[in-house]
Amino acid sequence: MSAPTTVSPKASTLRTYALRLKPGQDLRKELLAFAEQHQLRASAILTGVGSLTTASLRLANQPGPTQYKGHFEIVSLVGTLSINGSHLHMSVADSTGRTVGGHLLDGNIIYTTVELVIGEMPELDFRREPDPTYGYQELTVYPAEPQPAKKRTASGKRP
């Protein structure tokens, strides 16, 4: 099956989730766990604000992480989230307003809170596949395959 191109966009309805993360949690790990728990195949961060004591980012064209310690405000959190691979970027500002951004990595520790709204597109399936231009795993968008109905117990409830 050949990968879809950008000239044929796919549409879907949107289901939203609102949640709050708490002090000491790892932002990226919590996002990936949320995607796994809810079996999100195609979703995006609609908004994300909060604060961190540690920011861990992979900066543009750098091979590894850069870590910052202190108190930071999240000024931007965007990207795609899927059990098939996610691509998340974040920008943070320090107390002087100095702002830095890059790929969100593990190790972003929440200071007071992170407030998130995540949008799920249930009729789509996001996958990461190699792009021949540079060889990176890039987004491909497919129509979602129908999921089997969840079985119910004798009482009519899902197990």
Side-chain angles (χ1 to χ4, degrees), residues 43-103:
S43 64
I45 306 297
L46 301 179
T47 189
V49 297
S51 61
L52 304 171
T53 56
T54 304
S56 184
L57 303 167
R58 185 177 61 74
L59 305 178
N61 208 33
Q62 297 300 307
T66 300
Q67 195 169 80
Y68 305 91
K69 298 235 181 233
H71 291 104
F72 305 96
E73 290 291 331
I74 297 171
V75 295
S76 175
L77 178 59
V78 297
T80 56
L81 184 63
S82 170
I83 58 173
N84 298 317
S86 299
H87 187 183
L88 302 164
H89 285 203
M90 180 176 69
S91 295
V92 295
D94 66 15
S95 63
T96 69
R98 179 177 164 254
T99 303
V100 63
H103 288 269

Side-chain angles (χ1 to χ4, degrees), residues 143-156:
E145 294 181 15
Q147 298 298 312
K150 293 185 179 176
K151 295 181 181 178
R152 296 184 181 269
T153 63
S155 67

Side-chain angles (χ1 to χ4, degrees), residues 31-40 83:
L31 284 169
L32 297 181
F34 185 85
E36 188 66 36
Q37 177 185 3
H38 294 279
Q39 287 297 290
L40 301 179
I83 58 173

